């Protein structure tokens, strides 16, 4: 027993912040819905990573790959476009490794994210809202600015998470294996937010090879272009793109759900009040999709849901009644929320499979 404790204590020691990422708790949901009594919903709390999000895994892997391939040298500069979590991950690692970090943001970037990035020493480069596309998305404009900066700053490296083929590596090598090791039998379903499609690509690749019976459910925000559903403005951050990312493989999906802001934010409030979990906006969409999907299966399902980030960075938006009122977003109470989720339909895979990366 003493030996086991010593081994556990030794394994918890990290040489720097990069070694402290991963192996987060996986918590069962019990009170959120009556469906929790029939199915097992396990939320993998990537919000418990040191900086509060799953994107730190991508950041570590991409930085280490850039160092190995000499794209990034000591004293170099990391330049990236980010709405929050990936930029925070890069800022953390840059601080620990001694790199200059420049994060391209825009007028929609919430004040808490700006303050967090600045606290890690990152330099913020603002892109004006006038550069938005027809649906109000700033992603392409931010990426264009990041590319310009990287091309003009000596020793700069632009990871470009949206288009980097190495983006899924962290989730194939770590996240997928963490899920596998946590359960004696592979889960029936894994529910994943699409975002840049790194999580989807890495986890699905691993499970399709080793546990093909595990079904993969992808979740995006309504208004995003990825699934081929109508594009329109949305308030969600962490999910949604104005283009189809190169790492997105529609054939990896067994089901797809597009969840609007109102449902996602309402589930966030329900998770805080009924499960004691204060989590980010995209988690609400992921949990809503999992509940909707479970209703299609009469037999009990064990489902793993990926929670991308913490809720504290959304206190001025998702959890702020004044902001919600200004945006015209109503937080649904339990009965209305249950009925709305019950009515949530999946996106036809025939539509999703028509989408081509851009």
């Amino acid at each position: 027993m003493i030996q086991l404790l010593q081994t556990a204590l030794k394994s918890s020691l990290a040489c720097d912040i990069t070694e402290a990422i991963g192996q987060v708790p996986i918590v069962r949901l019990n009170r959120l819905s009556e469906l929790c009594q029939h199915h097992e919903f396990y939320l993998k709390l990537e919000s418990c990573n040191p900086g509060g999000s799953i994107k730190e895994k991508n950041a570590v892997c991409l930085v280490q790959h850039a160092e190995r391939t000499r794209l990034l040298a000591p004293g170099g500069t990391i330049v990236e476009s980010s709405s929050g979590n990936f930029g925070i991950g890069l800022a953390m690692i840059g601080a620990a490794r001694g790199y200059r970090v420049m994060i391209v943001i825009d007028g929609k970037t919430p004040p808490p994210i700006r303050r967090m990035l600045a606290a890690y020493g990152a330099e913020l480069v603002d892109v004006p809202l006038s550069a938005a596309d027809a649906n109000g998305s700033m992603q392409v404009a931010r990426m264009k600015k990041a590319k310009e900066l990287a091309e003009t700053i000596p020793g700069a490296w632009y990871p470009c998470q949206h288009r980097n083929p190495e983006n899924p590596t962290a989730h194939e090598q770590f996240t997928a294996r963490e899920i596998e090791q946590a359960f004696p039998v592979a889960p029936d379903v894994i529910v994943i937010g699409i975002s840049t499609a790194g999580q989807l690509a890495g986890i699905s690749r691993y499970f399709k090879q080793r546990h093909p019976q595990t079904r993969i459910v992808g979740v995006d925000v309504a208004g995003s272009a990825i699934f081929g559903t109508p594009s329109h403005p949305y308030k969600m951050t962490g999910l949604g793109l104005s283009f189809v990312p190169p790492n997105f493989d529609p054939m990896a999906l067994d089901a797809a759900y597009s969840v609007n802001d109102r449902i996602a934010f309402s589930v966030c409030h329900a998770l805080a009040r009924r499960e004691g979990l204060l989590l980010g906006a995209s988690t609400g969409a992921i949990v809503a999709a999992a509940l909707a999907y479970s209703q299609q299966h009469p037999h009990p399902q064990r489902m793993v849901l990926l929670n991308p980030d913490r809720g504290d960075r959304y206190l001025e938006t998702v959890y702020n009644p004044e902001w919600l009122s200004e945006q015209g977003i109503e937080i649904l109470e339990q009965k209305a929320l249950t009925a709305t989720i019950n009515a949530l339909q999946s996106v036809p895979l025939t539509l999703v499979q028509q989408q081509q990366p851009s």
Side-chain angles (χ1 to χ4, degrees):
M1 177 62 74
I2 292 175
Q3 251 184 339
L4 288 172
L5 287 172
Q6 288 174 337
T7 301
L9 286 170
K10 184 178 180 181
S11 66
S12 67
L13 299 177
C15 292
D16 66 13
I17 195 69
T18 65
E19 294 184 5
I21 295 168
Q23 297 299 334
V24 300
I26 301 176
V27 175
R28 183 169 178 173
L29 301 180
N30 299 291
R31 299 186 63 248
L32 182 68
S33 164
E34 291 182 0
L35 291 166
C36 296
Q37 309 310 311
H38 185 63
H39 302 288
E40 297 178 26
F41 299 95
Y42 284 95
L43 202 54
K44 191 172 191 298
L45 296 178
E46 296 292 345
S47 55
C48 291
N49 281 304
S53 90
I54 195 169
K55 289 297 185 77
E56 293 152 45
K57 289 181 174 179
N58 307 62
V60 169
C61 278
L62 292 181
V63 167
Q64 290 177 343
H65 181 264
E67 291 172 338
R68 288 194 303 271
T69 56
R70 304 196 177 186
L71 293 172
L72 183 61
T77 300
I78 300 171
V79 180
E80 181 60 294
S81 158
S82 174
S83 62
N85 289 327
F86 188 60
I88 291 169
L90 290 173
M92 289 170 52
I93 296 161
R97 299 284 183 97
Y99 297 119
R100 179 189 183 191
V101 177
M102 302 178 71
I103 304 298
V104 179
I105 58 174
D106 60 67
K108 295 182 180 181
T109 305
I113 299 297
R114 292 171 176 266
R115 290 194 289 269
M116 290 178 72
L117 288 166
Y120 285 117
E123 301 171 37
L124 307 184
V125 179
D126 258 285
V127 173
L129 292 177
S130 58
D133 65 18
N135 288 312
S137 174
M138 294 295 299
Q139 287 146 350
V140 172
R142 289 201 318 261
M143 292 166 66
K144 180 181 178 182
K145 183 63 176 179
K147 185 174 183 291
E148 290 173 357
L149 288 169
E151 289 174 347
T152 56
I153 297 172
W157 168 64
Y158 173 31
C160 191
Q161 61 162 332
H162 299 89
R163 302 190 182 279
N164 195 319
E166 290 295 320
N167 200 20
T169 301
H171 305 295
E172 182 175 13
Q173 295 185 353
F174 298 101
T175 312
R177 293 182 183 183
E178 290 161 11
I179 294 171
E180 181 184 54
Q181 292 168 6
F183 297 94
V185 178
D188 299 299
V189 184
I190 302 175
V191 187
I192 306 168
I194 298 299
S195 184
T196 63
Q199 296 165 46
L200 172 67
I203 294 170
S204 64
R205 190 183 301 160
Y206 187 89
F207 272 84
K208 293 300 183 186
Q209 291 175 353
R210 294 173 60 88
H211 306 285
Q213 75 281 9
T214 297
R215 298 181 295 280
I216 305 296
V217 177
V219 185
D220 201 10
V221 61
S224 171
I226 298 175
F227 288 160
T229 53
S231 296
H232 58 74
Y234 51 86
K235 299 301 177 182
M236 177 82 67
T237 57
L239 288 182
L241 287 175
S242 58
F243 58 92
V244 180
N247 285 316
F248 178 62
D249 177 9
M251 302 308 295
L253 291 175
D254 296 295
Y257 283 84
S258 179
V259 181
N260 66 38
D261 290 327
R262 182 177 69 157
I263 297 174
F265 297 174
S266 296
V267 172
C268 286
H269 283 253
L271 283 166
R273 293 172 182 176
R274 299 181 68 85
E275 298 285 354
L277 293 167
L278 188 71
L279 304 174
S282 58
T283 302
I286 290 163
V287 173
L291 293 172
Y293 180 81
S294 71
Q295 295 182 100
Q296 310 304 314
H297 298 271
H299 300 295
Q301 304 285 301
R302 174 174 287 170
M303 305 176 69
V304 174
L305 292 52
L306 261 68
N307 149 236
D309 64 357
R310 293 195 307 242
D312 54 359
R313 57 199 66 185
Y314 301 92
L315 291 177
E316 296 186 23
T317 54
V318 176
Y319 297 100
N320 180 356
E322 293 181 4
W323 182 86
L324 291 168
S325 179
E326 290 170 0
Q327 308 306 319
I329 298 174
E330 174 193 10
I331 296 301
L332 300 171
E333 296 302 327
Q334 192 67 25
K335 287 185 179 180
L337 179 57
T338 298
T340 304
I341 291 174
N342 289 347
L344 187 61
Q345 299 294 312
S346 61
V347 179
L349 288 179
T350 51
L351 175 62
V352 177
Q353 290 167 0
Q354 294 173 17
Q355 303 313 299
Q356 298 295 321
S358 55

